[in-house]
Amino acid sequence: MIRRAALRNAAPLVMAILGVVFLTMGLFFAKVFLPWRQADEWRLAASHPLSVQGRIISVEKTNLSINKAQVMCYGFEFTTAQGGASVRGECFTTGRRWSTGATVNVRYSPAEPALACPEGARLSEGSLGSAFVLIFPLVGGGIVLWVVRARRRMLWLLKNGTLGDFRVTAIEPTSVTINKQPQFKVTLQRLDLADAEPHEVRWYQPALLAFARERQENGQAVFGLFDPAKPKRVILPEALMQAG
């Protein structure tokens, strides 16, 4: 029961579920919107490309819209300036730019003619400006990582923490609000070593704060498990049990 209460206080599983949702949605949006051939465009730009006339041979709508503008897919073809080879490719624009048969200027790599793109188009369905969608998987992954690390630290404390008696010396509000509840910093002083660095816990749950205020008022000690090397890592099993 103590283990379950400690893990719930360290990082509720609902946070991990929220993180997985963000991560899954983020990966989906990244797959759709990210410019997966942006590296090819940079390679093309760095290859001292040649420019020749080409023409659009097909125009199709994609399933993607950016800022309410339909992304269009174009097939194009051109003949290289050296060797006269005929090359075909595919490019994209946000919004319709050309019709079938339109003449376009095509830039291509002299060493790799298949690496080509008409001026004013791009090689990826998504645009570079859509890279902001990476925020979602990064946030989701960060939440999942935080939950895993917090719960692992709590399990370490339960197994390897040093037992000690503490007195609640201060309860101070922080600038953080969690679940519409203000968070407080509760300062704990070890009774066996008066000059030891104070330990801290940060609570927002009303039941835990009520426990801390009661112990601060009556001066009664509370036992806890702590990491001597990291004073901010401390758990109070008695408080967690009373808070349910």
Side-chain angles (χ1 to χ4, degrees):
M1 184 177 292
I2 292 178
R3 182 179 183 274
R4 184 166 60 249
L7 290 176
R8 183 171 60 248
N9 182 72
L13 280 178
V14 67
M15 294 298 294
I17 295 173
L18 179 64
V20 170
V21 171
F22 264 84
L23 180 60
T24 303
M25 291 180 58
L27 291 175
F28 170 77
F29 286 125
K31 180 180 179 181
V32 173
F33 286 98
L34 283 184
W36 293 103
R37 294 197 62 192
Q38 184 61 44
D40 287 337
E41 295 202 32
W42 288 331
R43 284 176 52 221
L44 175 59
S47 68
H48 303 291
L50 300 178
S51 182
V52 296
Q53 277 198 341
R55 70 184 185 93
I56 300 297
I57 58 176
S58 66
V59 180
E60 295 180 0
K61 292 182 178 180
T62 70
N63 294 323
L64 179 64
S65 294
I66 299 177
N67 295 329
K68 298 182 179 181
Q70 187 77 46
V71 174
M72 305 298 296
C73 175
Y74 304 90
F76 65 93
E77 66 177 5
F78 65 96
T79 300
T80 61
Q82 298 175 337
S86 180
V87 181
R88 291 190 175 189
E90 185 178 75
C91 65
F92 302 87
T93 65
T94 301
R96 192 181 185 95
R97 185 179 180 92
W98 300 296
S99 299
T100 302
T103 299
V104 292
N105 290 324
V106 179
R107 296 183 309 130
Y108 72 93
S109 169
E112 188 182 355
L115 183 59
C117 186
E119 294 180 6
R122 60 180 182 268
L123 296 176
S124 303
E125 188 172 349
S127 68
L128 189 58
S130 300
F132 74 91
V133 298
L134 285 174
I135 293 174
F136 296 99
L138 289 175
V139 169
I143 292 174
V144 172
L145 180 62
W146 171 76
V147 170
V148 171
R149 291 184 63 187
R151 293 172 75 90
R152 287 183 63 183
R153 286 198 299 263
M154 185 60 70
L155 290 174
W156 186 93
L157 275 177
L158 288 172
K159 183 178 180 180
N160 304 297
T162 300
L163 185 64
D165 289 324
F166 299 87
R167 179 174 287 115
V168 178
T169 59
I171 303 174
E172 305 169 272
T174 69
S175 59
V176 177
T177 299
I178 302 175
N179 293 337
K180 298 182 180 181
Q181 299 285 346
Q183 183 192 69
F184 287 80
K185 180 179 73 173
V186 180
T187 304
L188 307 166
Q189 183 63 53
R190 287 170 56 187
L191 297 181
D192 62 327
L193 194 60
D195 59 347
E197 185 177 354
H199 297 254
E200 295 178 3
V201 291
R202 293 177 183 264
W203 288 337
Y204 68 91
Q205 302 92 328
L208 293 177
L209 291 169
F211 174 87
R213 291 191 176 100
E214 178 186 356
R215 292 303 172 93
Q216 183 184 32
E217 290 172 1
N218 62 30
Q220 184 180 352
V222 56
F223 75 90
L225 294 167
F226 66 95
D227 181 351
K230 299 176 181 178
K232 290 187 178 181
R233 295 186 183 177
V234 57
I235 58 173
L236 307 178
E238 186 179 359
L240 296 176
M241 291 296 296
Q242 290 194 19

Coordinates of all heavy atoms in Angstrom, one line a residue, residues 204-212 239 242-244:
Y204 N 0.8 19.6 -3.3 CA -0.4 20.4 -3.7 C -1.6 19.7 -3.2 O -2.7 20.4 -3.1 CB -0.5 20.6 -5.2 CG -0.8 19.4 -6.0 CD1 -2.1 19.0 -6.2 CD2 0.2 18.5 -6.4 CE1 -2.4 17.9 -7.0 CE2 0.0 17.4 -7.1 CZ -1.4 17.1 -7.4 OH -1.6 15.9 -8.1
Q205 N -1.5 18.4 -2.8 CA -2.7 17.7 -2.4 C -3.2 18.2 -1.0 O -2.3 18.3 0.0 CB -2.4 16.2 -2.3 CG -2.0 15.6 -3.6 CD -0.5 15.6 -3.8 OE1 0.2 16.4 -3.3 NE2 0.0 14.5 -4.4
P206 N -4.4 18.6 -0.8 CA -4.9 19.1 0.5 C -4.6 18.2 1.7 O -4.3 18.7 2.8 CB -6.4 19.3 0.2 CG -6.5 19.5 -1.3 CD -5.5 18.7 -1.9
A207 N -4.8 16.9 1.5 CA -4.6 16.0 2.6 C -3.2 16.0 3.1 O -2.9 16.0 4.3 CB -5.0 14.6 2.2
L208 N -2.2 16.0 2.1 CA -0.8 16.1 2.5 C -0.5 17.4 3.2 O 0.3 17.4 4.2 CB 0.1 15.8 1.3 CG 0.0 14.5 0.6 CD1 0.9 14.4 -0.6 CD2 0.5 13.4 1.6
L209 N -1.0 18.5 2.7 CA -0.7 19.8 3.3 C -1.3 19.9 4.7 O -0.7 20.5 5.6 CB -1.2 20.9 2.4 CG -0.5 21.0 1.1 CD1 -1.2 22.0 0.1 CD2 0.9 21.6 1.3
A210 N -2.5 19.3 4.9 CA -3.1 19.3 6.2 C -2.3 18.5 7.2 O -2.1 18.9 8.3 CB -4.5 18.7 6.1
F211 N -1.7 17.4 6.7 CA -0.8 16.6 7.6 C 0.4 17.4 8.0 O 0.8 17.5 9.1 CB -0.4 15.3 6.8 CG 0.6 14.5 7.5 CD1 0.3 13.6 8.5 CD2 2.0 14.7 7.3 CE1 1.2 12.8 9.1 CE2 2.9 14.0 8.0 CZ 2.6 13.0 8.9
A212 N 1.0 18.1 7.0 CA 2.2 18.9 7.3 C 1.9 20.0 8.2 O 2.7 20.3 9.2 CB 2.8 19.5 5.9
A239 N 2.8 10.2 6.0 CA 1.9 11.2 5.4 C 1.2 10.6 4.2 O 0.0 10.9 4.0 CB 2.8 12.4 4.9
Q242 N -1.7 8.4 5.5 CA -2.8 9.1 6.0 C -3.6 9.8 4.9 O -4.8 10.0 5.0 CB -2.4 10.1 7.1 CG -1.9 9.5 8.3 CD -1.8 10.5 9.5 OE1 -2.3 11.6 9.4 NE2 -1.0 10.1 10.5
A243 N -2.9 10.2 3.8 CA -3.6 10.9 2.8 C -4.3 10.0 1.8 O -5.1 10.4 0.9 CB -2.6 11.7 2.0
G244 N -4.1 8.7 2.0 CA -4.7 7.7 1.1 C -4.1 7.6 -0.2 O -4.7 7.2 -1.1

